[in-house]
Amino acid sequence: MKLQLNIWRQENKDSKGAIKNYKLNEVDEDMSFLEMMDILNEDLIHKGEEPVVFEHDCREGICGTCGMVVDGRPHGKEHGTTVCQLHMRKFNDGDKITIEPFRAKGFPIIRDLAVDRSAYDRIMQAGGFISQNIGSAQDANALPISKNVADLAMDAASCIGCGACAAACPNGSAMLFVSAKASQLNLLPQGQPEKAARARAMVRQMESEGFGGCSNYYECEASCPKNVSVNFIAKLNRDYLCATFKEGT
Amino acid sequence: MFKYLNHLVVSKFVMAVTGIIILLFVTGHAIGNLQIFIGKEALNAYAAFLQGLGEILWIIRIVLIIALLLHIITSIYLKLYNNGARPDKYVVTSYVKAKLNSRTMIWTGIMIAAFLGYHILHFTVGSIQPENYNQEEIYTKNAYSVGMGMNAHIANPEEHRGSVLNKVVYERHDVYKMVILGFRNPYVSGLYILGMILLGFHLSHALQSFFQTLGMAGPRFSPFIRTFSNWYGTITAIVFLIVPLAILLGFIGGNV
C-alpha cells in the first residue's frame, strides 16, 4: 500500500523542528510500524539523506524502548500495544500518517523522534526500590500475600516505563508511571517500611524533572501499552497524602 | 500560607476539598430553590429563616468565600504550571478519555465565577434590577402561636386595628416576587440558564475527580462514580434550570 508520512524532524534539543513529508509506495500490510520506518530510512540513506532517528530494541512490546506519537496518539490508536507491535494492516492504502516525538517538558528531544527519558530513571532512583539486608532468601510462604494483592501489584509492575503516559497527558504529567512504580512496592509487605518516604520522594523527583500534575484526564490510561489503571494514581495520592498528614510537608 | 502550591498532590487535595465544600453548598442551594414551586409562603419563610441565622449565616459565608478563593487561586496556579510542563503542542491532537468537560474545567470555572459575581449582585446585594429587589411582603401569623416577636414590627397598626384579631403583622423580604419579576426578563433567565449549564458541566468532572484525588478508586467504584458524576452534574443543572424556565414559560408566578 501507499502511504504519505508527515514526520517531525529536529536536529537537536535546541533547534526548531518541523514536519517533513515523505512518500512510501510499497508498504506490506504485514509489516510492523517500525519495519515501515526501517524501509523509509533505507530509502533516505539511498538518497543520501539523513535517516529518521527513533528508538527501538526488543520489538516485542516488552522493553519500553520504542515510542512515538502516531496521529496524536502515543504508540498509535490501538489500545494496549506498543508502536513496535502496531501493524500496517491497521492502516489503509493512501493514508496520511503524522509521526511526532513524545512531548513533555520532562522529555527533551534528542533528535527527530528520540527523546531523553532518563528522568524516569532518576524517579526510580528516588524511591523505586526496597532496602533489605542481604543474605539467603527467606521461605516463600513466610510472608502471606493474598491473591488479590499479588495480582494488583503485578498489574502495577507491568509498567514498562516507556513514557507514553507523560506524552499523552495534556499536562505532561508522569503520575501514571510514578504511581505504578510506587504501587508495585507499596502494595506488598516488603515495600511497607519505606512506603511514605517512597511516595513523597518519587512524586518530588517527578516535580523537579518538570512533569506536570494530574488533572484526572485519564488520557494516560488510554495510551498505556500495558493498560496500567489510573486507580494506581488514586493509590499514590492516598499514600502521599497519608505521608503528608503524618509527617508534614 | 501558599507554600502548599509547591506540592502538586497537596494542591490537588486543596482543589478537591474546597471543591466539595462548594459542591455541597450548590446542592443545598438547588434543593432550597425548589420551594418556589410550593409557593410564596414557603420560599419567603425559607429566605427569612436563612437571614435569621445571624452569626451562623456569616460563618457559612466565610467558609464558602475562603473555599472559593482557595479553589480559584489553586486552579489558576496549577493550570499555568501544567501548561508549562507541556510547552510544545502536538501537530495532531487526539483525545480518547480526556472528554470536553475535563479539558475545559478552567474555562467553565472562570465563566461560573463571573456568573457568580452577577448572581450575588442580582439577588444578594440587589444592585442589578433594584426595583425587583426592594420588595417587601406583609404577612400575618397567629399571635397565640408566635407571640410578639422581638424582630417583628407592626406595619400600619392603625389600619389593622380591630380587623386582625389575635394576629400579628410582620414584614419580610419578598424573595418570591423578586425572583419571579427577575426571571420574567428573558435575557436574565437566559444568562442563568447558560450559567447553570456550565455549572453542571463543571460538576460532571468535579465529583468523580474529588474521589480520585483523595485516593478512592477501584475497578468497580471508579466506573460507577464517573457515571454518577455525569448524572450529578446533569441533574444539578436541571434542578437549577427549571426555576427560570418555569417562570419564563409562565407555569409559576401568575399571581405576582
Side-chain angles (χ1 to χ4, degrees):
Chain A
M1 56 185 174
K2 289 180 181 175
L3 290 175
Q4 189 190 324
L5 304 171
N6 305 322
I7 301 178
W8 186 265
R9 303 303 306 262
Q10 184 169 338
E11 272 289 311
N12 55 51
K13 181 161 90 59
D14 302 314
S15 65
K16 206 171 167 329
I19 290 280
K20 230 178 146 186
N21 301 317
Y22 300 94
K23 278 200 168 66
L24 277 184
N25 291 327
E26 285 176 36
V27 177
D28 193 295
E29 62 175 20
D30 290 332
M31 284 177 182
S32 77
F33 199 84
L34 296 189
E35 284 168 336
M36 184 274 293
M37 294 294 287
D38 292 337
I39 301 282
L40 171 74
N41 276 347
E42 276 172 29
D43 255 20
L44 291 177
I45 291 164
H46 277 298
K47 287 182 196 159
E49 292 178 37
E50 279 290 321
V52 179
V53 174
F54 65 92
E55 282 186 89
H56 62 97
D57 191 22
C58 75
R59 298 205 177 196
E60 290 178 333
I62 54 166
C63 76
T65 309
C66 68
M68 52 187 77
V69 175
V70 181
D71 289 333
R73 307 285 328 144
H75 294 297
K77 283 194 167 65
E78 287 296 302
H79 284 290
T81 45
T82 54
V83 74
C84 63
Q85 288 294 296
L86 177 65
H87 289 87
M88 297 317 293
R89 67 181 81 98
K90 302 287 183 186
F91 295 88
N92 299 316
D93 188 35
D95 272 1
K96 287 178 186 169
I97 305 171
T98 305
I99 306 167
E100 295 174 76
F102 283 177
R103 294 189 193 278
K105 193 182 169 197
F107 291 155
I109 291 175
I110 299 169
R111 191 184 173 104
D112 297 338
L113 305 176
V115 296
D116 180 0
R117 286 170 290 182
S118 54
Y120 272 19
D121 296 334
R122 290 188 291 275
I123 292 171
M124 289 303 280
Q125 285 159 13
F129 53 82
I130 60 162
S131 305
Q132 181 136 7
N133 291 330
I134 53 165
S136 58
Q138 63 176 325
D139 184 70
N141 294 325
L143 273 178
I145 301 168
S146 81
K147 175 86 166 75
N148 289 344
V149 171
D151 284 352
L152 204 56
M154 200 58 217
D155 287 346
S158 64
C159 167
I160 53 177
C162 65
C165 44
C169 179
N171 295 345
S173 174
M175 279 297 271
L176 191 65
F177 165 78
V178 178
S179 68
K181 292 301 177 192
S183 296
Q184 69 186 15
L185 302 174
N186 284 355
L187 280 163
L188 298 175
Q190 292 91 336
Q192 293 309 307
E194 290 159 304
K195 182 174 160 182
R198 174 178 304 113
R200 299 176 70 168
M202 291 180 80
V203 171
R204 297 228 169 132
Q205 188 63 36
M206 182 195 89
E207 289 166 353
S208 66
E209 295 289 350
F211 294 103
C214 179
S215 292
N216 305 333
Y217 292 115
Y218 309 137
E219 203 55 30
C220 50
E221 187 183 69
S223 282
C224 179
K226 295 296 154 188
N227 292 324
V228 173
S229 166
V230 291
N231 294 347
F232 291 117
I233 298 181
K235 179 175 163 45
L236 179 64
N237 287 339
R238 196 163 69 230
D239 292 347
Y240 185 99
L241 290 170
C242 285
T244 305
F245 284 129
K246 274 182 202 153
E247 297 162 28
T249 47
Chain B
M1 183 190 172
F2 291 106
K3 262 175 143 178
Y4 73 87
L5 290 171
N6 294 328
H7 307 290
L8 289 170
V9 179
V10 183
S11 298
K12 285 295 297 175
F13 174 76
V14 171
M15 286 303 291
V17 172
T18 55
I20 207 75
I21 291 170
I22 302 164
L23 183 140
L24 290 172
F25 166 76
V26 161
T27 306
H29 191 342
I31 295 167
N33 287 358
L34 292 178
Q35 292 175 87
I36 200 168
F37 291 103
I38 303 173
K40 185 175 186 168
E41 168 58 29
L43 188 70
N44 286 358
Y46 174 63
F49 159 74
L50 290 180
Q51 285 297 324
L53 288 175
E55 288 84 7
I56 300 171
L57 179 68
W58 273 104
I59 292 170
I60 295 169
R61 280 179 174 167
I62 288 166
V63 168
L64 284 172
I65 289 168
I66 291 173
L68 197 66
L69 285 177
L70 284 175
H71 198 72
I72 292 170
I73 292 166
T74 313
S75 67
I76 292 172
Y77 180 85
L78 279 176
K79 188 68 195 172
L80 294 175
Y81 185 92
N82 289 335
N83 279 352
R86 170 65 92 64
D88 303 312
K89 302 290 164 220
Y90 286 110
V91 177
V92 178
T93 48
S94 159
Y95 295 109
V96 179
K97 293 203 173 177
K99 297 283 185 272
L100 193 65
N101 58 355
S102 65
R103 285 185 279 125
T104 53
M105 285 301 272
I106 189 79
W107 307 115
T108 52
I110 289 169
M111 286 187 277
I112 292 163
F115 169 80
L116 180 67
Y118 176 85
H119 176 55
I120 287 174
L121 289 177
H122 188 200
F123 282 157
T124 310
V125 180
S127 56
I128 295 165
Q129 295 185 326
E131 69 282 3
N132 293 344
Y133 183 77
N134 298 317
Q135 298 284 348
E136 300 294 332
E137 180 205 15
I138 312 277
Y139 73 107
T140 60
K141 269 190 177 173
N142 290 332
Y144 50 78
S145 63
V146 177
M148 191 65 179
M150 285 287 283
N151 297 325
H153 68 278
I154 297 173
N156 304 327
E158 285 302 316
E159 194 184 299
H160 294 284
R161 181 162 296 154
S163 62
V164 183
L165 199 65
N166 285 338
K167 295 209 170 186
V168 176
V169 181
Y170 294 81
E171 199 182 47
R172 66 185 170 193
H173 188 210
D174 194 349
V175 174
Y176 187 81
K177 200 170 179 185
M178 172 185 80
V179 172
I180 300 282
L181 293 176
F183 283 157
R184 277 197 187 148
N185 181 335
Y187 295 107
V188 173
S189 281
L191 190 68
Y192 271 81
I193 290 169
L194 183 69
M196 291 306 100
I197 291 172
L198 290 171
L199 179 69
F201 203 54
H202 197 79
L203 294 185
S204 67
H205 178 71
L207 184 60
Q208 59 83 32
S209 210
F210 168 81
F211 290 98
Q212 172 76 6
T213 300
L214 261 60
M216 287 170 261
R220 277 197 295 181
F221 179 73
S222 294
F224 160 75
I225 198 68
R226 284 173 209 169
T227 312
F228 181 80
S229 190
N230 284 335
W231 280 108
Y232 197 88
T234 312
I235 290 168
T236 308
I238 290 171
V239 169
F240 272 120
L241 275 181
I242 52 174
V243 175
L245 218 54
I247 292 168
L248 209 57
L249 299 174
F251 290 129
I252 51 169
N255 52 339
V256 172

